[in-house]
Amino acid sequence: MADELLVFEQTIEAVFVRALHGRLSPACRERLRQAGLDLEQKLRPAYPFASWMTFLRIVAEELYPQLPLEESAFKLGEAYMDGYRETMLGRAVLSLLRVLGPRRALMRATQHFRSGNNYTESRLKELGPRKFELWMNEVGSLPSFTAGIIHAGLRTAGVENLRIELAGYDGHACTYCINWSDASVSSGVAGSGDSKAATRSGSINSL
């Protein structure tokens, strides 16, 4: 893993420029500026991981003040994928997910996340049909944000009735227990049929 954990410009763009465009109040934008993210200026090539976590926490607090941080961070993870889809790289990666199917998409988690940072490492353990454990080395203080990304990515890959649970979180690394009852693609996992948009049904739980 890299000595200095960095989050690349395209990741910041996907969340704060694309996904949340028009949703950030002046007060929120000022809090971000004070924390090191000035959305009125050109984005830097990379930002420290600790700053990234701070940016996400600020937006979670501002956009979803009525929700527990775990739930608001999950929503931001899903929103990230919406914004990522609008970038050139995101369009290519998400098109690939549809071809790969969910199993092979999970197997490539390190490569997918490394397109936006310099530190992600992952290990996948297959427990049974449509049941996996995905370990990730660094998810910071908001593990449910990464869970939201995984959830949205697997829906893109064709998963339906998805459930994600957090297990073994130590403040840095986290194991995600992932299972689903069906998939709408024929590649990668059992569960064939014509490709169609996956439903938004699913859940996340902390253990």
Side-chain angles (χ1 to χ4, degrees):
M1 186 171 65
D3 291 335
E4 183 181 9
L5 308 188
L6 296 173
V7 175
F8 300 147
E9 176 184 358
Q10 59 263 32
T11 300
I12 303 295
E13 177 190 357
V15 177
F16 300 100
V17 178
R18 305 279 186 168
L20 302 180
H21 177 70
R23 297 180 60 190
L24 302 180
S25 68
C28 181
R29 296 170 74 92
E30 176 59 20
R31 286 186 66 188
L32 289 171
R33 190 186 69 80
Q34 293 290 340
L37 176 61
D38 189 345
L39 294 174
E40 302 301 320
Q41 303 295 323
K42 186 179 186 299
L43 296 177
R44 286 182 262 162
Y47 292 79
F49 177 73
S51 297
W52 165 240
M53 287 288 105
T54 299
F55 302 157
L56 290 175
R57 183 178 291 268
I58 287 171
V59 172
E61 292 170 353
E62 291 284 341
L63 289 184
Y64 308 104
Q66 75 283 9
L67 294 179
L69 184 59
E70 174 186 284
E71 293 181 32
S72 57
F74 183 83
K75 286 180 175 292
L76 285 180
E78 291 194 302
Y80 163 79
M81 291 296 281
D82 291 336
Y84 187 52
R85 185 176 287 109
E86 296 181 11
T87 68
M88 184 178 299
L89 177 61
R91 284 193 294 271
V93 170
L94 294 178
S95 294
L96 179 61
L97 290 184
R98 296 185 185 96
V99 174
L100 290 175
R103 179 177 180 274
R104 287 188 292 166
L106 286 171
M107 292 173 66
R108 294 171 60 94
T110 295
Q111 296 97 308
H112 295 320
F113 277 84
R114 277 293 184 103
S115 69
N117 66 53
N118 72 336
Y119 55 82
T120 293
E121 298 173 4
S122 66
R123 293 195 297 265
L124 184 67
K125 183 177 181 181
E126 188 167 1
L127 304 177
R130 302 180 294 278
K131 187 174 183 180
F132 297 83
E133 284 185 352
L134 177 65
W135 173 88
M136 302 192 74
N137 64 317
E138 183 60 83
V139 298
S141 58
L142 298 172
S144 59
F145 174 77
T146 299
I149 294 175
I150 296 169
H151 187 271
L154 287 176
R155 285 194 289 106
T156 298
V159 165
E160 298 179 347
N161 301 315
L162 172 64
R163 183 181 181 87
I164 301 177
E165 295 181 344
L166 278 59
Y169 174 58
D170 65 3
H172 294 277
C174 185
T175 297
Y176 297 92
C177 301
I178 303 165
N179 65 85
W180 61 89
S181 61
D182 198 5
S184 63
V185 295
S186 58
S187 61
V189 296
S192 60
D194 294 335
S195 294
K196 58 185 178 182
T199 66
R200 292 188 60 86
S201 62
S203 61
I204 177 171
N205 293 284
S206 295
L207 298 182

